[in-house]
Amino acid sequence: MTKDTNTFTKDNAGNLDQTLRPGTWEEYIGQAKIKENLRILLTAARERGHSAEHILLYGPPGLGKTTLAYLISKTLGTNMRITSGPAIERVGDLAAILTNLSPGDVLFIDEIHRLSKSIEEVLYPAMESGVLDIIIGKGPSARTVQLELPPFTLVAATTRISLLSSPLRSRFSGGTFRLDFYSEEEIGQILTRSANLLGVPTDASVIDSIAARCRATPRTANYLLKRCRDLAQLDGAPISRDIVDRTFSLLEVDELGLGKPDRAVLSAIITKFGGGPVGLGTIAAATGEEASTIEDVIEPYLIRLGLLERTPRGRIASASAISHLEN
Ligand code: ADE
């Protein structure tokens, strides 16, 4: 049966920290264009007394897609039901979720690229016409029953927009929004707020050094701050630059914010494949990382730093990747 559909919590692996999660648009730092577009879309829908149109959010993990979904439902003044592509295993799971929605609810489907084709096909008419086509029975006596659904807004998130079929993509009539990495200044603001909420004193140099090494990702920034807090607590001292440096060294995070898996990917391309071009599957086999983890989590930041290039013939490590690993 369907798992995880009726509470706003992600599992531990999803790392949605309830204490640090922004609860208002004002607290949500960055992604200014997306916020502005959503504000107009949602306010207009609310004023018309309609449910808002369906919204697709995409981008690397940890940039705040789930938090945006939560803020969308809060703005609409409705409940949010949360589920994910892999949790919807059968058509019946989706049918159960959709028929249990209250009018106007937000349905959040995380990792929507992992929905199976047969489930996508049930979702299309639900998104477009608010109906659910269910086939009852098998063989010649099978018949289709159409159920009318309460109006709802689907907010879907994915790290892999390229895996969504174009019919599915085209049904997000409210818009498709790409979340960007954050600037160091934005991360600094997020960290300052988090440190206040956690009650840990910090100074600007601590904030700046975490901001510089968090892969431009709020989830990672908050994770690093909490690990610094742990070490500071054991030392019985406030978080200092020395504590930050020791934490990074313990976690093997380097001065660009790269961790072991990032360096393993670059190192494999450089030392085993002459700098590339080399295919994703080959890199996955050489490093023991899943191809999807390399593509969704590791590569986007390496590309942003100019350390890696994706070309039609494969991945290439840049000259700066070579000099970074030599240091
Ligand atoms: N935590 C995660 N994403 C955030 C954001 N954009 N602003 C503030 N806190 C966050």
Side-chain angles (χ1 to χ4, degrees), residues 40-55:
I40 296 168
L41 181 88
L42 301 174
T43 314
R46 203 176 167 156
E47 277 181 17
R48 286 194 298 266
H50 275 196
S51 60
E53 289 168 84
H54 309 303
I55 295 164

Side-chain angles (χ1 to χ4, degrees), residues 16-17 20-31 35 62-65 67-68 71 179 182 186-187 189-191 193-194 217-219 222:
L16 188 77
D17 193 310
L20 302 183
R21 172 164 51 85
T24 64
W25 292 104
E26 292 67 39
E27 286 172 352
Y28 191 98
I29 313 279
Q31 315 293 352
K35 277 168 53 172
L63 299 186
K65 297 186 285 296
T67 305
L68 276 182
L71 291 176
L179 280 81
Y182 289 69
E186 288 165 345
I187 295 280
Q189 291 172 37
I190 292 171
L191 282 168
R193 171 178 176 271
S194 299
T217 302
R219 184 188 294 163
N222 286 333

Side-chain angles (χ1 to χ4, degrees), residues 4 7-11 16 18 82:
D4 198 17
T7 49
F8 181 70
T9 42
K10 270 188 145 179
D11 58 17
L16 188 77
Q18 297 295 318
I82 182 166

Side-chain angles (χ1 to χ4, degrees), residues 13-286:
N15 270 328
L16 188 77
D17 193 310
Q18 297 295 318
T19 330
L20 302 183
R21 172 164 51 85
T24 64
W25 292 104
E26 292 67 39
E27 286 172 352
Y28 191 98
I29 313 279
Q31 315 293 352
K33 277 272 169 250
I34 299 181
K35 277 168 53 172
E36 179 67 359
N37 278 297
L38 289 177
R39 191 182 65 78
I40 296 168
L41 181 88
L42 301 174
T43 314
R46 203 176 167 156
E47 277 181 17
R48 286 194 298 266
H50 275 196
S51 60
E53 289 168 84
H54 309 303
I55 295 164
L56 178 62
L57 306 171
Y58 74 100
L63 299 186
K65 297 186 285 296
T66 309
T67 305
L68 276 182
Y70 167 73
L71 291 176
I72 289 168
S73 78
K74 196 168 168 190
T75 306
L76 292 170
T78 61
N79 296 317
M80 173 156 112
R81 296 300 201 102
I82 182 166
T83 186
S84 71
I88 306 175
E89 288 171 6
R90 300 159 206 275
V91 170
D93 295 337
L94 181 62
I97 296 167
L98 290 172
T99 53
N100 276 309
L101 294 173
S102 300
D105 274 358
V106 166
L107 172 62
F108 178 61
I109 305 185
D110 202 5
E111 296 188 78
I112 190 151
H113 60 277
R114 293 179 64 186
L115 277 185
S116 71
K117 272 271 150 300
S118 55
I119 292 172
E120 269 193 17
E121 276 161 21
V122 176
L123 195 54
Y124 298 156
M127 291 173 74
E128 210 159 59
S129 326
V131 293
L132 191 64
D133 293 315
I134 307 179
I135 300 167
I136 297 182
K138 277 194 179 145
S141 64
R143 60 202 171 86
T144 309
V145 178
Q146 201 168 66
L147 284 182
E148 187 108 359
L149 293 169
F152 70 100
T153 300
L154 175 63
V155 179
T158 181
T159 50
R160 300 286 290 285
I161 186 129
S162 61
L163 296 183
L164 293 200
S165 66
S166 49
L168 181 56
R169 271 203 238 181
S170 69
R171 282 169 171 85
F172 289 95
S173 51
T176 295
F177 300 98
R178 193 189 74 152
L179 280 81
D180 282 325
F181 285 113
Y182 289 69
S183 67
E184 284 186 28
E185 192 189 334
E186 288 165 345
I187 295 280
Q189 291 172 37
I190 292 171
L191 282 168
T192 304
R193 171 178 176 271
S194 299
N196 281 334
L197 287 171
L198 295 172
V200 289
T202 53
D203 61 37
S205 87
V206 163
I207 298 287
D208 290 350
S209 59
I210 300 176
R213 298 208 234 171
C214 67
R215 307 171 109 261
T217 302
R219 184 188 294 163
T220 310
N222 286 333
Y223 165 76
L224 292 169
L225 175 66
K226 289 195 266 175
R227 298 297 73 77
C228 291
R229 173 185 66 167
D230 291 344
L231 189 57
Q233 183 186 320
L234 295 194
D235 270 17
I239 302 177
S240 59
R241 270 304 299 273
D242 173 57
I243 297 240
V244 175
D245 290 343
R246 278 164 55 209
T247 304
F248 287 141
S249 152
L250 279 165
L251 298 174
E252 301 182 78
V253 171
D254 68 24
E255 56 291 350
L256 290 181
L258 305 187
K260 261 171 94 168
D262 304 299
R263 289 191 300 272
V265 164
L266 289 178
S267 165
I269 299 173
I270 293 165
T271 59
K272 296 196 174 130
F273 306 105
V278 54
L280 177 64
T282 311
I283 302 171

